[in-house]
Amino acid sequence: MPRDTITDLIHHGYQPPDGFESPAPGVFKASTVIFANTAALQSRDWRRKDGYTYGLHGTPTTFVLEERIATLEGGRQCVLLPSGLAAVAVVDLALLAPGDEVLLPANVYGPSRELARQELRRWGITHRLYDPLDAAALAALIGPQTKLLWIEAPGSVTMEFPDVAALARAARAKGVITALDNTWGAGLALRGFEHGIDIVMQALTKYPSGGGDVLMGSVVTQDAALHERIKLTHMRLGYGVAGNDTELVLRGLPTLAVRYAAQDHAGRALAHWLAARAEVARVLHPALPGSPGHAHWQAHCTQAAGLFSVLLDARYSLAQVHAFVDALRLFRIGYSWAGPVSLVVPYDLQAIREPGHGLEGHLVRLSIGLEAVADLQADLAQALAQAF
Ligand SMILES: *Cc1c(COP(=O)(O)O)cnc(C)c1O
């Protein structure tokens, strides 16, 4: 009996010729992975990366991105997650158990702290904040219950740059695992493993993607046993990434270094220009002398992300600060960063930091995109003139 056309549309005999190559790797998408026979089905172990079992466990496309991100960070193994925050969460959930404590820098990425405050707490895991600029004080904070130390270089929003190597040494001396949120460093300005870090996490959402159009996170390790702990939790929680999203990040990687350098160059030019403006009390950019932890940045990096904050003078009203932000035309108001469009967000220092941070004024964070620097500077100038 001839088969129905609909069946042929699903089980078609045509195979395209082998040997196709283009500059971009192919994009594979799957929930189901098809096995040749029962023996193949039964003998596959999803933990080995020499074959495929299920979409959640990886496709050629996700394996390719995993290897490239591991190379970028100078590590050996990588897991991918549907956001940077999910990457933070999988590290916490893989390594912490009831009764354990995690140490977070006082300037930690806000949602990472909320994760500790709300979710980890419900599982009997406590957290404490440490001063990222006081590596000497860290050893005294570490107790028998301390299992994980998060490091951010620089910290989110207030941009203090810690002595990464000294923090990693202090943790290692006490047997505490270190995890670096390397979203700012992007594996370019900073490579965590060279400074003694155990786990390097990144929001691929930011620089590696570069488009402002995809969310993804990565967790890279150098130690197979540590990777396996993270990978098992990753799998059990059902974290996977989609082929099309993976493709977007793969597409961004070839231009990562040139984008990073361009955004660094533009960011520093604008940071220096802003530092000389009367309206600006202080510029928080780790590559600028006088910024908190500048010496640590110099010891660890030569490059910087195109991301920094300014403290507008405390004599201005909040309404004036908001008028400044609202008057910007090229800088759009929005979270995230490292995309083509320059972004701006005003932050309430009192809401994001505990007292004692030593910063005064109204904080505004700028993410420098890929527009012409002169146009961005003109935009800042007209908005300052309007608001102050
Ligand atoms: C954006 C960001 C994250 C989270 O990434 P998402 O993909 O937006 O969840 C984590 N850490 C830092 C430092 C970030 O800037």
Side-chain angles (χ1 to χ4, degrees):
M1 192 180 84
R3 287 204 311 204
D4 195 290
T5 300
I6 187 64
T7 304
D8 281 331
L9 290 181
I10 299 166
H11 298 268
H12 204 285
Y14 176 75
Q15 289 291 331
D18 286 339
F20 176 80
E21 271 205 68
S22 93
V27 182
F28 293 88
K29 296 181 271 189
S31 53
T32 296
V33 171
I34 290 171
F35 297 89
N37 50 46
T38 319
L41 177 85
Q42 288 175 345
S43 65
R44 280 289 326 140
D45 177 354
W46 63 268
R47 273 166 293 201
R48 293 199 324 264
K49 283 179 77 172
D50 56 2
Y52 307 95
T53 46
Y54 189 59
L56 206 49
H57 306 155
T59 64
T61 308
T62 61
F63 282 7
V64 166
L65 183 59
E66 283 171 6
E67 293 304 311
R68 291 184 189 192
I69 298 299
T71 299
L72 172 66
E73 298 284 18
R76 295 206 183 90
Q77 310 89 11
C78 172
V79 297
L80 299 173
L81 297 102
S83 71
L85 185 55
V88 174
V90 84
V91 171
D92 287 343
L93 295 174
L95 302 181
L96 299 168
D100 290 347
E101 175 191 70
V102 54
L103 294 177
L104 306 175
N107 52 9
V108 68
Y109 178 64
S112 300
R113 185 178 175 188
E114 275 315 291
L115 176 69
R117 255 191 195 144
Q118 307 295 338
E119 303 306 319
L120 298 185
R121 200 171 67 106
R122 290 199 296 117
W123 296 98
I125 299 158
T126 58
H127 75 279
R128 270 188 298 162
L129 300 178
Y130 70 91
D131 178 354
L133 291 180
D134 195 354
L138 183 68
L141 281 181
I142 295 175
Q145 73 287 2
T146 312
K147 295 290 154 57
L148 178 64
L149 175 83
W150 273 102
I151 298 172
E152 255 186 75
S156 285
V157 183
T158 48
M159 308 300 288
E160 299 90 341
F161 203 101
D163 187 341
V164 176
L167 292 172
R169 270 197 308 277
R172 183 158 292 185
K174 300 245 174 167
V176 173
I177 295 173
T178 49
L180 172 71
D181 181 335
N182 203 21
T183 303
W184 180 95
L188 296 172
L190 187 64
R191 290 185 112 203
F193 298 113
E194 290 170 11
H195 301 290
I197 297 289
D198 298 309
I199 298 167
V200 179
M201 164 266 151
Q202 199 182 142
L204 305 179
T205 306
K206 309 287 169 55
Y207 276 107
S209 138
D213 53 0
V214 64
L215 288 149
M216 200 173 291
S218 58
V219 179
V220 175
T221 42
Q222 280 193 326
D223 178 72
L226 191 53
H227 167 70
E228 174 118 338
R229 284 173 76 181
I230 294 164
K231 179 75 189 161
L232 286 170
T233 297
H234 174 267
M235 200 285 277
R236 291 183 197 121
L237 287 173
Y239 279 141
V241 294
N244 286 350
D245 289 350
T246 309
E247 178 200 14
L248 286 178
V249 180
L250 280 168
R251 201 164 198 271
L253 286 186
T255 58
L256 171 64
V258 290
R259 285 186 284 108
Y260 198 89
Q263 283 164 297
D264 178 8
H265 189 77
R268 283 197 232 191
L270 293 169
H272 280 289
W273 180 79
L274 282 162
R277 293 283 309 204
E279 301 91 339
V280 174
R282 203 168 172 195
V283 176
L284 305 172
H285 185 309
L288 263 64
S291 192
H294 171 65
H296 301 315
W297 173 82
Q298 275 185 309
H300 290 81
C301 307
T302 54
Q303 285 190 285
L307 181 79
F308 62 96
S309 296
V310 295
L311 290 167
L312 294 164
D313 202 286
R315 72 176 181 274
Y316 299 124
S317 68
L318 198 55
Q320 280 178 290
V321 173
H322 291 171
F324 162 67
V325 170
D326 290 342
L328 289 164
R329 288 292 162 259
L330 295 177
F331 284 87
R332 308 301 301 273
I333 301 168
Y335 294 110
S336 202
W337 38 281
V341 175
S342 292
L343 297 170
V344 58
V345 180
Y347 282 92
D348 176 0
L349 269 172
Q350 272 44 265
I352 60 166
R353 292 293 303 271
E354 301 292 315
H357 48 71
L359 302 169
E360 265 181 59
H362 304 281
L363 190 145
V364 174
R365 187 183 73 177
L366 300 169
S367 161
I368 308 307
L370 290 163
E371 304 93 336
V373 184
D375 292 333
L376 293 175
Q377 184 176 311
D379 192 29
L380 290 165
Q382 65 80 23
L384 286 169
Q386 270 195 55
F388 302 112

